[in-house]
Amino acid sequence: MTPYLVMDLHYEDIRRDYGRRSLSRKDLTDDPFDLVRLWLQEAVDDPKVLEPTAVLVCTSTPDGHPSSRTVLLKELLGEEFIFYSNYESRKGQQMAANPHVSLTFLWHELERQIHVEGTVRHLEPEISDQYFATRPYKSRVGARISPQSHPIPDRNYIYTHFVTEAAKFALQTVPRPDNWGGFAVLPSRIEFWQGRPSRLHDRFLYERQEDNSWLINRLAP
């Protein structure tokens, strides 16, 4: 066997200064969701942002190790962030065991981030049904046959199951499977991060109080 060359990788000289925008106290809203909606819409409207609703969902394993993956935010309902997935997936099982999660939106093109911490629950079945019905036909079929996060022997395995299930529901309504639906995250902390020059970034933290109001503090960068 030919030995391969092990090379150290150095990225210390890669630096980029931020300075497109700023965030000050006067830019804040009393309700953090007003600002969340504003930032999300600005990301959606900017053609340079490729996946404006992509959000990193972090959970924990049973032994306390962090676990993360990226999903797409589908709705903001009231004060809850909504995304959909398989309840029996790795993240689904982790959230069933420990409902404390975090969410991170990162928009490189806007030099912005939103960090959320809160608790998650299953969305009401009727709301999951309504959303599932709007998904493309092939996405609905895929949700029914995919044992998400579980090992499969090869790609042909999932493709064969897809073809079989698609034939079963040809010209019919594809029903939502019981193990697939919405997750709703109710936040207790929401941080808004805006990149600034010299790494002196603007950071504002909203913390939910017992009376359901929000305490706002500027954080050191």
Side-chain angles (χ1 to χ4, degrees):
M1 180 181 296
T2 303
Y4 59 87
L5 181 63
V6 177
M7 299 180 60
D8 292 333
L9 300 178
H10 296 278
Y11 303 114
E12 302 95 290
D13 294 333
I14 298 179
R15 293 184 177 86
R16 180 172 177 271
D17 216 9
Y18 304 124
R20 290 189 58 184
R21 307 176 186 225
S22 63
L23 182 63
S24 65
R25 176 75 67 161
K26 65 179 177 61
D27 299 316
L28 304 182
T29 56
D30 292 335
D31 184 340
F33 286 94
D34 291 336
L35 193 53
V36 169
R37 290 183 174 89
L38 175 63
W39 279 25
L40 273 168
Q41 192 58 53
E42 289 182 353
V44 169
D45 292 341
D46 192 321
K48 294 181 180 179
V49 180
L50 299 181
E51 287 287 1
T53 63
V55 58
L56 184 69
V57 180
C58 294
T59 57
S60 61
T61 65
D63 51 2
H65 293 178
S67 177
S68 61
R69 77 289 294 160
T70 304
V71 303
L72 297 178
L73 182 78
K74 291 302 179 182
E75 294 179 275
L76 275 178
L77 291 179
E79 293 191 341
E80 292 180 306
F81 296 84
I82 309 298
F83 63 93
Y84 293 84
S85 189
N86 189 310
Y87 292 148
E88 296 172 359
S89 65
R90 188 167 187 251
K91 63 179 171 294
Q93 294 182 47
Q94 290 171 353
M95 288 186 286
N98 180 355
H100 298 283
V101 302
S102 69
L103 309 175
T104 295
F105 297 89
L106 172 58
W107 299 295
H108 293 285
E109 301 84 356
L110 303 179
E111 301 172 352
R112 281 178 170 173
Q113 300 178 58
I114 298 178
H115 304 285
V116 178
E117 295 178 16
T119 55
V120 66
R121 67 178 180 88
H122 284 184
L123 202 57
E124 291 79 7
E126 58 271 20
I127 299 179
S128 292
D129 288 339
Q130 292 171 10
Y131 170 72
F132 190 78
T134 69
R135 286 166 60 88
Y137 172 77
K138 292 181 180 180
S139 295
R140 282 177 278 161
V141 173
R144 290 187 59 83
I145 58 90
S146 175
Q148 192 177 84
S149 303
H150 296 275
I152 58 175
D154 51 42
R155 182 170 180 80
N156 189 57
Y157 171 90
I158 202 73
Y159 181 75
T160 300
H161 280 69
F162 178 88
V163 171
T164 301
E165 193 77 359
K168 182 191 303 183
F169 290 101
L171 303 178
Q172 299 182 46
T173 299
V174 181
R176 178 181 65 88
D178 292 336
N179 66 345
W180 191 99
F183 293 93
V185 177
L186 179 68
S188 56
R189 293 166 54 99
I190 303 178
E191 180 190 330
F192 297 87
W193 182 100
Q194 179 67 61
R196 296 298 306 277
S198 304
R199 295 297 187 265
L200 299 180
H201 311 304
D202 290 325
R203 298 174 59 192
F204 284 96
L205 174 64
Y206 288 74
E207 293 181 286
R208 190 187 296 273
Q209 305 300 293
E210 290 186 2
D211 63 359
N212 227 30
S213 64
W214 294 91
L215 175 67
I216 306 175
N217 279 303
R218 178 186 276 274
L219 304 181

